[in-house]
Amino acid sequence: MTHKLGEHIGDWIAFPTPGRVEVRTGKVEIGQGVREALTRIAAEELDIDPAQIDLISGDTARTPDEGYTAGSMSISGGGVAVRQATSAARALFEAAGRGEGRPDYWALSDSMDLDRPVADFARPKSPAAYVLTGTGGGGRALNAQVKGAAFIHDLEMPGLLHARMVRPPWLGAEVKRMGEASAGARVIRDGSFIGVVCEREADAVAAGERLALTTLWSKAPGAGDPLDIIDRSNEPAPLDDAPISVTASRGFIAHASIAPSCAVAMWDQGRLTVWTHTQGVFPLARSLAAMLSLDADAVRVIHAPGAGCYGHNGADDAAADAAMLAMATPGRPVRVQWTRAQELTSSPMGAAMRTTVSASLGADGRIATMHTGVVSFTHVRRPGVGGVNLLAGWLRAGGAVDPVITGPMPAASGGDAERNATPGYDIAETSIWRTIVQHPLARTSALRSLGAHVNVTALEGAMDASAALTGEDPVVYRLRHLSDPRARAVIERVAAMAGGCAPGSGRGIGYARYKNVAAYCAVIVETELAETLRVTRAWAVVDAGCAVDPDGVENQIEGGIIQALSWTLKEAVNFADGAPSGAGWSDYPILRLDETPQIVVEILQHLDQPPLGVGEAACGPTAAAVCNALAALTGVRTADLPLTRERLARALG
Amino acid sequence: MSIGLTVNGVACLVDADPGQPLVYALRNELDLKGVRFGCGDGDCGACAVLIDAEDRQACQMTLAEAEGKSVTTVEGLVGPDGAPGRVQQALIERRAGQCGYCLSGIVMRLEAMLRRGERDRAKIIEGLAANLCRCGAHARILRAVDDLLATP
């Protein structure tokens, strides 16, 4: 009888050699620390040393299909799955073994049938018995990286060829005249999809540069700046005559990973194998099979770590590039690596959007009605979501751009553009209006926290503006609207840590429960205004339920704060001649180490509660806190992001 | 044409295009994959290495320019027993990274500054501003710097 991979204990765990345990997960390491947390969970349930575990992750031939590693669900979903499966394995061995304590897995494993349902045997430990869960220290996590451990960029295999891509200057451009690559370089072209393949990497780099310089493309149609569509889109006026109205907006945001996207692919005897830093090996495999008209079981996709990933970046596209090139070089693996300019301009972007929150107050000073209007580009354009959605599939001859999904993502997934547009406060009457705009030149998809970055900024701005109108302290005012004790606890604690954020202090607060179902997070920042707005200190409190790896949770919150500060203070992709402009980092500055605030993070630990996703929880509250601090400092409320020197000068007159 | 240089204390002859950026020669000819390619423009610091005692970005010089020099990479800071070097150890203890891709360059930049005898925190942070980190390990990296400065 067949079963769905993941239903049986043996899908997750094996005891191949004495002293070693193989644990398989569909979730992948994207810099969020999931390997450390999943290893700990498995070791905890099996009562073994974490160093005995070999974690196999993201391989369509070996691991369960757990969809995308996204939405802050690595631990709340993938971690719980590993806990169930490993606890089931232990229970099975205990039943077969004799005596007390940990069974001798390796002595018993030959005679053990692990092809049994997880659900029938799962018996996770009581939190009171935890030894590894919720304890400090993440010492192992970086041991290998600081010594030069391999990323996908570093894979070696016999006969490896090196490739670079030549990209059209704008989406939809056609080749007017093909240029020339250097001698010895093989040019592989299919419509507007162009790559060069060489034996040596330095030769591929030179050939790619030469071909890019000498190829002529059709001119952009002059379709204007995609951002104008947001400006022109007017939501219907709120029903009541709302005294409070706060708008937050941002432009397009680049993923801006430190490494350019990379992939390796091999086409051999009718089978395609692809090594990639994708967030979803199974959805990518299905999209590649569809794009290349291959049988699904002819495509194997294997995850290898890339640099930090914060959403749907160029990883899948690079995998598709490598696959297309490999099909033209049978029997030889091809490694493709993007240029920095390609990484910044041909990856999907985080969506530009604008959110307006209108509120009215009751006689008691509390918010009586709150209306949220969201205008946004799509946040939902991953491979396999509504289409193949791989750049190579769009560029090649006869390829067409997959349509944009404009309908909302299920509320159970936290929504997309309207993520966190529903206030987490006790408000009698709320409503949301949402529209998705599109533009042929703007390719957007999921970036960390989706709409929550802007929505929480607008909502928390409205909370502060309402507090100011009633003359109340912003912390006290928020607490008046919160009955959830866990929400109250993070706000009360962060206020105590920072010593409050009274008006005029240059401090601001932001709070949200991510997706209204994941981690609770409250952030206070302290700012200084000189030539630019500078954040000098930040305090954050997070309730992630059971924080399996507390130092990992802190790391995610700190990183979320820094990245959100960078988006909020500095980042927007500029368009020129129909395409994202910018050849390098000087065109797209991000927050540097000499702009680092002091950060203090505290976790409110609840070992007896389910784990709550934490990776994206700090983004909205941090941006909100910055805008609220600016208002506290200057009396001017603006959230027209990014808060660059030029924009501040305009806003502050 | 062969280029002679010393890499992590070992004399090497590299038989490859001398005009190629050093970053590719180190990674592909000498298999020092700990040297990371980030931008190729000298803007991100991911490929920083030591050339003699100086921190340089390996994408901004050619293999030929390294001729006769001593090159040190993250692999060269690891002890014979596999023990991490002092800067590596400080970053491990603070878990000062997430993906870790930027850390090779940060390790080498810090190592160069410490070897120069730099003990001024502000100057060290100014030096680190040449290295980009996107995961946002900034505050942790600075805590590791403080630990290093607290060690005589």
Side-chain angles (χ1 to χ4, degrees):
Chain A
M1 198 179 105
T2 58
H3 70 280
K4 188 171 177 283
L5 202 63
E7 284 174 353
H8 285 189
I9 297 168
D11 301 339
W12 298 87
I13 190 166
F15 301 86
T17 49
R20 306 300 306 168
V21 180
E22 185 177 293
V23 175
R24 307 187 200 104
T25 171
K27 296 294 182 187
V28 296
E29 179 64 52
I30 56 173
Q32 85 285 43
V34 69
R35 292 189 70 89
E36 171 71 21
L38 294 182
T39 299
R40 245 183 230 207
I41 288 170
E44 178 91 80
E45 294 298 334
L46 295 167
D47 268 328
I48 58 171
D49 187 328
Q52 290 177 274
I53 290 178
D54 301 308
L55 195 71
I56 309 292
S57 76
D59 180 342
T60 55
R62 298 176 75 186
T63 64
D65 180 358
E66 295 186 82
Y68 281 107
T69 301
S72 294
M73 296 187 291
S74 299
I75 304 305
S76 61
V80 169
V82 166
R83 198 179 284 286
Q84 293 285 320
T86 49
S87 77
R90 163 138 190 181
L92 203 57
F93 277 92
E94 268 179 1
R98 279 185 292 272
E100 296 290 305
R102 192 193 78 187
D104 185 343
Y105 301 111
W106 300 279
L108 295 166
S109 69
D110 279 350
S111 56
M112 194 66 79
D113 177 16
L114 296 180
D115 211 10
R116 317 275 287 273
V118 170
D120 291 356
F121 295 90
R123 206 174 65 202
K125 278 186 180 174
S126 145
Y130 285 164
V131 175
L132 296 167
T133 304
T135 53
R140 272 184 308 279
L142 287 176
N143 276 353
Q145 277 102 320
V146 295
K147 297 186 210 165
F151 286 88
I152 184 161
H153 307 78
D154 308 323
L155 294 184
E156 280 287 356
M157 39 191 97
L160 188 69
L161 294 167
H162 290 274
R164 288 294 184 276
M165 304 308 299
V166 174
R167 291 290 190 217
W170 53 277
L171 199 54
E174 288 174 0
V175 175
K176 285 289 172 201
R177 197 189 71 209
M178 271 300 281
E180 288 174 4
S182 346
R186 179 163 170 210
V187 177
I188 292 165
R189 180 186 166 198
D190 186 350
S192 297
F193 176 93
I194 302 172
V196 293
V197 178
C198 294
E199 296 286 336
R200 290 184 172 224
E201 185 174 24
D203 296 338
V205 172
E209 283 171 0
R210 175 139 185 240
L211 187 57
L213 273 175
T214 51
T215 298
L216 280 182
W217 297 86
S218 58
K219 286 251 179 302
D225 188 331
L227 263 189
D228 295 345
I229 293 180
I230 297 251
D231 294 337
R232 281 202 304 270
S233 178
N234 288 312
E235 61 164 310
L239 296 177
D240 52 352
D241 189 16
I244 291 143
S245 178
V246 172
T247 296
S249 62
R250 75 174 190 192
F252 301 101
I253 309 266
H255 290 260
S257 188
I258 297 299
S261 293
C262 181
V264 178
M266 175 138 95
W267 172 246
D268 194 27
Q269 298 176 29
R271 299 190 59 82
L272 179 70
T273 308
V274 181
W275 292 264
T276 162
H277 50 114
T278 179
Q279 289 174 276
V281 288
F282 286 92
L284 175 59
R286 290 188 285 267
S287 281
L288 287 172
M291 181 181 92
L292 299 166
S293 303
L294 296 172
D295 287 340
D297 58 7
V299 181
R300 179 179 180 187
V301 176
I302 303 169
H303 182 264
C309 163
Y310 323 102
H312 176 201
N313 57 19
D316 298 287
D317 292 332
D321 293 341
M324 291 272 287
L325 299 172
M327 301 284 282
T329 58
R332 299 275 310 262
V334 183
R335 172 189 184 275
V336 67
Q337 180 176 299
W338 287 8
T339 65
R340 170 52 43 195
Q342 288 166 353
E343 184 66 23
L344 285 171
T345 60
S346 63
S347 304
M349 300 176 292
M353 59 185 290
R354 186 189 68 208
T355 299
T356 299
V357 172
S358 314
S360 66
L361 307 183
D364 58 355
R366 282 180 53 158
I367 294 174
T369 67
M370 189 176 260
H371 167 88
T372 310
V374 181
V375 184
S376 178
F377 282 81
T378 185
H379 299 254
V380 187
R381 226 177 181 189
R382 289 185 184 275
V385 181
V388 165
N389 283 324
L390 293 167
L391 189 56
W394 296 0
L395 295 180
R396 67 190 186 146
V401 171
D402 294 295
V404 170
I405 293 182
T406 55
M409 216 163 130
S413 313
D416 45 275
E418 77 284 14
R419 183 162 292 183
N420 277 103
T422 301
Y425 296 99
D426 307 333
I427 294 169
E429 192 186 322
T430 63
S431 63
I432 295 177
W433 176 90
R434 161 199 190 274
T435 194
I436 299 296
V437 295
Q438 48 185 309
H439 188 285
L441 299 176
R443 181 184 180 212
T444 59
S445 192
L447 171 67
R448 194 177 195 173
S449 86
L450 279 62
H453 173 227
V454 169
N455 292 333
V456 172
T457 302
L459 252 153
E460 288 290 284
M463 289 306 288
D464 259 33
S466 303
L469 206 63
T470 60
E472 287 185 63
D473 178 90
V475 171
V476 175
Y477 190 74
R478 280 173 175 75
L479 292 173
R480 278 183 69 190
H481 292 78
L482 281 171
S483 50
D484 181 343
R486 292 171 73 176
R488 295 179 64 88
V490 292
I491 291 179
E492 284 168 346
R493 182 62 199 144
V494 81
M497 281 162 64
C501 55
S505 64
R507 289 182 182 180
I509 186 169
Y511 158 77
R513 181 177 190 190
Y514 184 54
K515 297 199 283 194
N516 298 88
V517 296
Y520 301 81
C521 183
V523 176
I524 290 178
V525 299
E526 185 170 278
T527 56
E528 281 174 12
L529 186 61
E531 276 195 356
T532 58
L533 185 67
R534 199 178 162 103
V535 175
T536 52
R537 299 178 77 181
W539 298 263
V541 176
V542 60
D543 173 350
C546 171
V548 172
D549 170 13
D551 187 59
V553 168
E554 275 183 37
N555 205 1
Q556 281 301 302
I557 295 295
E558 285 184 38
I561 289 171
I562 292 286
Q563 194 168 86
L565 288 179
S566 188
W567 296 344
T568 303
L569 297 173
K570 290 174 174 276
E571 294 183 36
V573 174
N574 292 309
F575 269 73
D577 301 324
S581 66
W585 285 112
S586 52
D587 304 292
Y588 192 84
I590 62 173
L591 200 79
R592 289 180 183 266
L593 275 132
D594 59 349
E595 300 168 295
T596 310
Q598 256 186 49
I599 304 179
V600 186
V601 178
E602 268 193 29
I603 295 169
L604 303 184
Q605 180 67 282
H606 297 281
L607 288 179
D608 56 339
Q609 295 291 320
L612 300 174
V614 76
E616 299 160 280
C619 300
T622 299
V626 171
C627 294
N628 288 339
L630 177 68
L633 200 61
T634 64
V636 175
R637 182 164 292 286
T638 176
D640 179 18
L641 308 182
L643 300 172
T644 56
R645 184 163 63 175
E646 298 73 27
R647 289 194 196 207
L648 282 173
R650 246 190 343 257
L652 300 176
Chain B
M1 180 180 158
S2 288
I3 302 288
L5 66 169
T6 302
V7 179
N8 294 330
V10 179
C12 302
L13 267 183
V14 183
D15 187 16
D17 172 14
Q20 70 179 298
L22 181 63
V23 62
Y24 299 121
L26 291 174
R27 289 177 49 78
N28 297 328
E29 311 300 333
L30 295 163
D31 200 29
L32 294 166
K33 296 288 199 325
V35 182
R36 314 294 187 197
F37 179 91
C39 66
D41 306 318
D43 286 337
C44 76
C47 65
V49 295
L50 295 189
I51 302 294
D52 295 331
E54 203 182 334
D55 47 318
R56 295 280 300 275
Q57 288 167 162
C59 71
Q60 293 299 294
M61 62 190 294
T62 61
L63 171 60
E65 285 168 325
E67 184 161 29
K69 308 261 201 259
S70 172
V71 181
T72 310
T73 70
V74 278
E75 290 92 341
L77 302 181
V78 179
D81 54 350
R86 59 181 166 170
V87 174
Q88 291 163 321
Q89 185 61 40
L91 292 167
I92 290 169
E93 279 169 16
R94 289 290 181 175
R95 201 184 196 172
Q98 288 184 18
C99 75
Y101 195 89
C102 68
L103 290 180
S104 290
I106 285 169
V107 165
M108 299 317 294
R109 190 85 65 195
L110 270 169
E111 183 69 28
M113 289 191 278
L114 293 177
R115 284 190 189 188
R116 280 203 292 275
E118 186 60 75
R119 307 292 295 178
D120 183 316
R121 185 178 195 267
K123 287 218 171 101
I124 288 178
I125 293 173
E126 197 184 311
L128 285 175
N131 289 68
L132 296 178
C133 164
R134 182 56 160 172
C135 296
H138 299 41
R140 286 170 173 249
I141 292 165
L142 298 191
R143 284 176 214 137
V145 168
D146 289 336
D147 292 347
L148 286 163
L149 289 178
T151 314

